[in-house]
Amino acid sequence: MKKFFHTIVYLCFLSGLLAPVAPVFAEQEKAPHIKSKSAILIDQKTGNVLYNKKDNKKMYPASITKIVTAILAIDSGKMDETVTVSKNATLAEGTRVYLNEGEQIPLRKLVEGMMVNSGNDAAVAIAEYLAGDVPSFADKMNEFAKKAGATHTHFVTPNGLFNPDHYTTAEDMAKITQYAMKNSEFRRIVKIKNLPWHVKGWDTTLVNHHRLLWDYPGTTGVKNGYVDKSKHTLVTSVSRDGMDFIAVVLKASTSKVAYSDTTSLFDYGFSHFQRQKLSKGTLIEDPAGRKHALKEDLEVTLPVGEHVLKNVSASGELTLKNSAGDSLAAVQLFQPSPKKEASQVAAHSSGEATGSKLALQLTTRTALFFYSGFLMLTALMVMIRMRNKRRRALQRMRRYEKNYTFIK
């Protein structure tokens, strides 16, 4: 009997500890193993980050810098103008398209040669034509970087030749490329595979250095790079099956690693993510229970099978989040009046306080319930033991009385 009641008490106490806990098990998809020092994968359309590895670590970009030089040339509106090549441009080190001093070439052709064959001399010619000299063009590059949201980037050269003050991050290059890929002329140039090239010093057909244009279905550009300090860098865009991704890998030990990491990122993106859309006119409920029509389409990128979470603040901002709580998109849903906003903020704060109070009360009541049960069972066990002791004492007295009577 004693062992039985001890078991009951133990089980009740244990259930009291475990009852309030509701474990949730979620299967997490395995991300690819990336060997490059830094990498990122984003949805080109939504900008949502799908994978990152040290994406804010400062790195040397090498020739992927030319993405910035190209989009600045295109945005200048001077693509049909003629550039006179300077001697300084012809002296550029590294990969060239063999320009000659005094040669006159359309700006568009220089941009194409720079992007297809990574011509460092073409990059300098472009910079000098658009800004007068390389330092002034670098200032324009840095202004553009800030405009694109690249906050950890600083450019010194138009071609990416090494300079300790010339750096970027994987995240910043993804933002820059996302901006550039919105331009149709930029998209046309970066997907060129073969380019007839006829200048005074070179008559040939240039072949794009970006091998994934041939090797990975749906690849649409954009640029690879290499200098000793940066190792191999690669920025790639792909469009397939209704999805558009941008991958950036920095400081890969070999070009093979850079390409392998990039294809792994794209495979991961296509197999694990999808877009979800909230259409214009969708009714969204605010904290006060009022419904507001969405003024524009909103799209976010989520893991397959996951649903977007909506949160409306008292100030009227709608935020779309994933299950991890990361913000994917935000838009002003409505404009509350100053008085209403203040009252809604107070109500929201009050609601949060009430919710916290209720949660505390529930936890306290649960603990008290099981603690009371434990005390009751303990008291019952003590009472039973006392009753058994009295019964055994009474039995002993009766035996003594019987023996005493028999002797007498």
Side-chain angles (χ1 to χ4, degrees):
M1 177 69 74
K2 179 178 179 181
K3 184 176 180 180
F4 171 74
F5 279 107
H6 279 179
T7 302
I8 291 177
V9 171
Y10 174 74
L11 291 175
C12 289
F13 178 71
L14 187 62
S15 65
L17 290 176
L18 298 181
V21 182
V24 177
F25 300 95
E27 183 180 352
Q28 295 184 349
E29 299 291 354
K30 188 176 181 181
H33 176 66
I34 301 302
K35 296 179 181 178
S36 299
K37 293 296 183 180
S38 180
I40 193 170
L41 175 70
I42 70 168
D43 185 317
Q44 181 178 315
K45 187 173 184 180
T46 65
N48 296 149
V49 177
L50 314 181
Y51 173 91
N52 67 80
K53 175 185 177 181
K54 297 182 179 179
D55 58 326
N56 278 315
K57 184 176 178 60
K58 291 181 179 178
M59 297 283 190
Y60 301 125
S63 284
I64 61 175
T65 300
K66 291 164 183 162
I67 293 172
V68 180
T69 303
I71 190 60
L72 283 177
I74 294 169
D75 282 350
S76 73
K78 300 179 180 180
M79 290 288 276
D80 294 321
E81 296 183 12
T82 300
V83 177
T84 300
V85 178
S86 71
K87 182 178 180 179
N88 183 52
T90 66
L91 297 177
E93 299 176 355
T95 309
R96 293 177 291 164
V97 287
Y98 298 98
L99 303 176
N100 292 274
E101 182 181 358
E103 191 170 11
Q104 293 188 322
I105 302 176
L107 181 61
R108 176 176 282 102
K109 186 172 182 178
L110 288 174
V111 174
E112 292 172 345
M114 178 184 68
M115 296 304 287
V116 174
N117 201 63
S118 202
N120 291 330
D121 49 356
V124 173
I126 293 167
E128 292 178 337
Y129 181 72
L130 294 178
D133 55 54
V134 167
S136 298
F137 186 74
D139 291 339
K140 290 182 176 293
M141 296 174 75
N142 292 319
E143 289 174 9
F144 165 79
K146 291 179 181 179
K147 177 182 176 182
T151 56
H152 299 90
T153 290
H154 185 262
F155 295 121
V156 177
T157 74
N159 47 32
L161 288 175
F162 176 73
N163 185 298
D165 293 325
H166 187 93
Y167 55 81
T168 189
T169 68
E171 181 185 33
D172 281 1
M173 283 309 303
K175 290 178 179 178
I176 288 169
T177 306
Q178 183 188 20
Y179 174 94
M181 289 296 290
K182 293 176 182 178
N183 187 288
S184 60
E185 178 67 358
F186 182 88
R187 293 196 303 271
R188 181 193 70 80
I189 292 172
V190 297
K191 70 187 298 185
I192 295 173
K193 291 183 177 181
N194 301 288
L195 178 69
W197 189 252
H198 308 293
V199 295
K200 291 180 181 178
W202 204 19
D203 188 356
T204 187
T205 296
L206 304 180
V207 178
N208 199 309
H209 292 185
H210 200 313
R211 296 309 308 172
L212 292 187
L213 284 167
W214 288 268
D215 298 339
Y216 194 84
T219 298
T220 55
V222 282
K223 192 74 187 73
N224 64 322
Y226 176 85
V227 293
D228 287 341
K229 293 289 186 179
S230 71
K231 299 304 179 186
H232 293 270
T233 62
L234 187 66
V235 179
T236 313
S237 61
V238 65
S239 295
R240 197 174 74 207
D241 303 328
M243 299 295 286
D244 311 275
F245 299 130
I246 292 171
V248 180
V249 296
L250 301 178
K251 206 170 185 179
S253 57
T254 66
S255 61
K256 183 178 180 180
V257 169
Y259 288 125
S260 176
D261 282 350
T262 298
T263 57
S264 294
L265 287 170
F266 286 149
D267 289 344
Y268 174 66
F270 283 119
S271 62
H272 291 88
F273 292 89
Q274 64 182 6
R275 288 200 196 107
Q276 290 187 22
K277 180 178 180 180
L278 288 182
S279 300
K280 178 180 179 180
T282 300
L283 295 178
I284 307 293
E285 189 172 300
D286 67 17
R290 294 184 294 268
K291 293 184 178 180
H292 306 268
L294 198 60
K295 299 175 183 177
E296 59 186 80
D297 291 342
L298 277 183
E299 281 193 275
V300 294
T301 313
L302 293 163
V304 174
E306 186 174 306
H307 296 289
V308 66
L309 303 177
K310 298 182 286 291
N311 180 70
V312 181
S313 69
S315 61
E317 183 179 67
L318 167 65
T319 304
L320 303 183
K321 299 182 178 182
N322 58 20
S323 60
D326 301 320
S327 178
L328 303 177
V331 67
Q332 194 67 30
L333 186 62
F334 62 92
Q335 292 289 347
S337 64
K339 291 183 179 180
K340 286 184 178 180
E341 183 176 356
S343 64
Q344 286 173 354
V345 169
H348 184 64
S349 300
S350 175
E352 287 184 345
T354 302
S356 299
K357 184 176 180 181
L358 289 174
L360 179 62
Q361 290 177 348
L362 179 60
T363 303
T364 304
R365 288 174 182 174
T366 302
L368 287 174
F369 172 78
F370 286 104
Y371 184 65
S372 300
F374 171 73
L375 291 178
M376 291 177 63
L377 286 171
T378 302
L380 178 62
M381 183 180 72
V382 171
M383 292 173 61
I384 292 174
R385 291 186 64 182
M386 292 178 64
R387 187 182 66 179
N388 289 338
K389 287 179 67 175
R390 287 198 299 269
R391 183 184 297 139
R392 287 196 294 271
L394 181 60
Q395 289 175 350
R396 285 198 298 271
M397 290 180 62
R398 288 176 178 174
R399 285 199 299 270
Y400 292 152
E401 289 177 356
K402 184 176 180 181
N403 291 338
Y404 177 79
T405 304
F406 177 75
I407 293 173
K408 186 177 177 181

